[in-house]
Amino acid sequence: MDIALKDVTRENFEAVIALEVATSQRDYVADNLYSIAEASFHPTYHPRAIYCDGEVVGFLMYESFDHDDRPPAYNIFRLMVDRHHQGRGIGHRAMQCVLDEIRAQGPFERIAICYVPTNQVARDFYASLGFQETGLSEETGEVIAEIRG
């Protein structure tokens, strides 16, 4: 199984926005069309199509924060795998790809993610990738977990 991250382009846009999560996951992730629109207004957002063996099967997005006196920080705030492709390890491999992509950009302060405290699947998933919980967001009440650079 070959997993790759690619830019969202005119050629894969329709495939990316057609992706759907399982009904039980809809409250946990924003719609891909909304995310792509949001990225068009934020130059620090990096929307990425997830490919498995050449087929668009998911979407993720992260943002970067540059600091004058420190290495950049990153937030991964969208990840979804189409409901027809879940349970095959694609999300885990895609997260490894994005972590590799970020690390390839050079030293970083942190890579952070957030998830709903009651989402045990997300908690276990991100912990398996090396994220450690650091607290709760005062704004959203979500758990914050980080990999420190």
Side-chain angles (χ1 to χ4, degrees):
M1 180 168 51
D2 180 40
I3 304 298
L5 302 181
K6 298 183 181 182
D7 290 334
V8 175
T9 64
R10 183 173 289 159
E11 289 75 27
N12 64 17
F13 172 77
E14 294 290 336
V16 171
I17 65 169
L19 299 170
E20 296 180 341
V21 294
T23 304
S24 63
Q25 298 168 326
R26 289 188 183 147
D27 291 339
Y28 296 130
V29 64
D31 182 76
N32 292 346
L33 181 59
Y34 176 83
S35 296
I36 293 166
E38 188 178 33
S40 73
F41 295 104
H42 297 276
T44 60
Y45 288 12
H46 307 275
R48 311 293 276 142
I50 301 170
Y51 281 75
C52 178
D53 297 329
E55 179 184 359
V56 176
V57 297
F59 175 80
L60 68 78
M61 189 160 67
Y62 67 95
E63 70 179 315
S64 57
F65 299 95
D66 290 326
H67 303 290
D68 292 331
D69 57 343
R70 298 190 320 260
Y74 298 88
N75 285 336
I76 301 169
F77 61 102
R78 299 283 194 278
L79 171 64
M80 65 82 66
V81 173
D82 185 81
R83 62 190 176 98
H84 298 106
H85 298 279
Q86 292 182 5
R88 299 172 42 203
I90 293 170
H92 195 271
R93 304 258 312 264
M95 281 296 297
Q96 290 172 326
C97 287
V98 76
L99 293 172
D100 290 345
E101 182 175 302
I102 290 169
R103 288 179 175 123
Q105 296 177 39
F108 61 90
E109 180 182 353
R110 65 171 170 75
I111 303 169
I113 52 92
C114 293
Y115 48 85
V116 176
T118 58
N119 189 344
Q120 189 63 44
V121 171
R123 174 175 274 130
D124 295 342
F125 175 75
Y126 291 119
S128 76
L129 289 159
F131 285 90
Q132 296 181 350
E133 293 184 1
T134 59
L136 293 175
S137 167
E138 291 181 20
E139 292 178 24
T140 65
E142 292 181 324
V143 174
I144 301 168
E146 298 179 342
I147 294 174
R148 302 298 284 182

